[in-house]
Structure formats: C-alpha cells, structure tokens
Amino acid sequence: MVGSFAISTVEVLRDRAVAAPAGDVDGFCATLAGCSFASWRRRGKYLISTLLRQGEAAGALGVHLRMTGQFQILRQGERQPCRHTRVRFLEANGQRELRFVDIRSFGEFWLVPRNTPSEAVISGLARLGPEPFDSSFSARYLKNKLRGRTRPIKSALLDQALVAGAGNIYADESLFMAGIRPTIRSGSLSLDQLEQLRQALVEVMSISIGKGGTTFSDFRDLTGTNGNYGGVAKVYRRGGEPCHDCGTPINRIVLSGRATHWCPQCQQ
C-alpha cells in the first residue's frame, strides 16, 4: 500500500476512529510512535499492516475504511488537514505524512498487540467467509451454504460471512454477468448457476482491481486518483438507461435496504 513507513508521531483528530484499544487514544498514539508499517494485506474489506519496531515484530494495525474512508500520502506540510481528517501518521524522517480522511466518520482502527492474532482484537475478521479468489470459494461451497435459504441471492452476496469483500456494486455486476435475477431465492439456484455466479464474481473483481477500484463519490487511492471501474459498469447506477446487451431499460429496486440494478431481459 505505502511501503516501508517509519512513524514518528500519530495524531488522532477524532477519538471514535480508534476502536482498539477502546477509550485509550493516548495509548494508541504512544504505541505506534517508533513503529514502522512493514507490509499491508487485505482480508475482506479490512486492511491490516504488520508493524515493526527496530526490526522486531510489534503487532499489527487494522483498519476498515467503511463507506467514505480513504488514505492520502503527501509531503509533510504540503497542505493543512481538512475538517474530515481523522488520523495522521507522520514519517520519522520528516518527509511524508499518511493521512486518513473520512467524511462520514465510520472508519475504524484496531491496534493489535504483539503475539496476538488479529482476529482476537478485530472481531469482524472471524466472521468473514472465503475470498472470491480462494480455492475454497466454489459452487459446491455456495450450494451447501445456501441450501434451503429463501433470502434473495443479491442479499446473500452482501453477507460477508458467505463471501468476503463483495459489496453492492460488484454483487449487481456479477449477477448481471451470470444472467441471474437478484430477487431469486438463493437456495433455488442450481450448481451450474452458482458456478456461473462464482466465475462472474471473480471476473468482475479482477477487472475492477485492474481499473483501480470503483469511484462514484468518495473512493480515491493514495495519490487521490479515482477508481475507473464505474465507467464500465453494466448495470450499477444505470437505472432507466438501456442495457448495453439488449437495450431493455435497466430496473432499479431497493432490496434489503440496498439499491439494486438489473436487466429484466438478460437476468432471468
């Protein structure tokens, strides 16, 4: 994500951004000072950095961006923090700043102590299902998990316990690619349909990664660049517009509280 980054100072501008240690913002800042971000990994919608202190393991830092959180990397003193800046990490050599900006303030950080599993502190990790790219995420896995379920398949895809990392946009796009109506009962899908859906989800997310993610309002990468997947979306946010494949107007409905877009001709 940002490569090696030695932290000299941490400044928390909104206390509730720190989920752990709960109620101890001063401890959060003091513990991170003198650490380095060694590497970053993703699990579902969580980002987790391995921490080092003088070359030795020093725990980890987890973050969930939620709906509007974003990291910015910039030169120290390049510009003043905006009113939505929640946490600032200043580099030890005085060169760079890693800034967390979050308009809606739902993003959270968890400081994981040394020799402690991340799942023990970041409780949401333990509830996550397999990643779309994992070998364990198969049509047979989906069939077993969805057997007898009556909830719509769109709602099922948004359940992070079923599959980690599939959000609203990619659920709509994957269902379109697989030719599956979002309102169909998830337990009624055949093994062949579930395999088509699995392949579609992997393909859609692979394309999105290649495009740098999706931006419709808030997402930016470290340099402030928009994700470009939104420009090639087939159905998402295209309610009333003609389907790219058949010309039928795209339907927009609200399903389980989420805007859902689909083609009534292409998705049966």
Side-chain angles (χ1 to χ4, degrees), residues 116-150:
T116 302
S118 295
E119 291 79 4
V121 177
I122 310 172
S123 59
L125 288 176
R127 296 192 291 268
L128 293 178
E131 303 277 337
F133 301 102
D134 287 351
S135 59
S136 59
F137 183 67
S138 64
R140 178 59 63 186
Y141 163 82
L142 288 171
K143 188 70 174 175
N144 291 337
K145 286 291 187 179
L146 298 174
R147 183 175 286 113
R149 298 297 182 92
T150 59

Side-chain angles (χ1 to χ4, degrees), residues 9-225:
T9 306
V10 180
E11 181 182 358
V12 176
L13 286 80
R14 191 176 185 88
D15 287 0
R16 78 178 193 185
V18 177
D24 187 10
V25 169
D26 290 342
F28 176 86
C29 296
T31 301
L32 284 169
C35 289
S36 296
F37 295 128
S39 62
W40 291 83
R41 65 183 177 93
R42 181 194 59 79
R43 178 70 174 105
K45 298 181 181 181
Y46 294 88
L47 298 175
I48 303 169
S49 175
T50 300
L51 298 174
L52 297 178
R53 183 185 295 275
Q54 297 180 343
E56 300 291 331
L61 181 69
V63 59
H64 198 305
L65 305 182
R66 303 300 177 189
M67 299 178 69
T68 61
Q70 60 179 266
F71 280 104
Q72 299 174 359
I73 188 77
L74 57 156
R75 295 189 304 275
Q76 289 189 28
E78 182 176 340
R79 64 176 182 267
Q80 290 297 310
C82 72
R83 64 190 181 94
H84 301 300
T85 301
R86 308 308 179 197
V87 183
R88 303 173 68 195
F89 303 90
L90 301 181
E91 196 171 22
N93 60 15
Q95 295 293 313
R96 298 181 297 173
E97 173 185 347
L98 183 64
R99 187 178 294 178
F100 182 68
V101 178
D102 187 8
I103 294 174
R104 298 187 68 175
S105 298
F106 293 150
E108 293 180 294
F109 287 83
W110 294 263
L111 183 58
V112 181
R114 181 184 177 188
N115 297 326
T116 302
S118 295
E119 291 79 4
V121 177
I122 310 172
S123 59
L125 288 176
R127 296 192 291 268
L128 293 178
E131 303 277 337
F133 301 102
D134 287 351
S135 59
S136 59
F137 183 67
S138 64
R140 178 59 63 186
Y141 163 82
L142 288 171
K143 188 70 174 175
N144 291 337
K145 286 291 187 179
L146 298 174
R147 183 175 286 113
R149 298 297 182 92
T150 59
R151 63 177 173 174
I153 185 58
K154 165 67 184 289
S155 303
L157 285 178
L158 296 180
D159 183 353
Q160 298 297 296
L162 179 71
V163 52
N168 199 37
I169 298 169
Y170 304 127
D172 279 1
E173 293 295 302
S174 301
L175 287 167
F176 174 79
M177 184 177 289
I180 297 172
R181 190 173 70 250
T183 55
I184 194 170
R185 289 182 302 153
S186 55
S188 70
L189 292 171
S190 69
L191 197 63
D192 286 344
Q193 287 176 304
L194 291 171
E195 175 58 21
Q196 291 175 346
L197 179 57
R198 184 200 67 79
Q199 293 180 13
L201 184 56
V202 169
E203 183 171 348
V204 164
M205 295 192 76
S206 296
I207 294 171
S208 176
I209 290 169
K211 295 286 185 180
T214 304
T215 298
F216 282 104
S217 58
D218 303 295
F219 175 76
R220 303 290 188 277
D221 67 14
L222 283 172
T223 66
T225 303

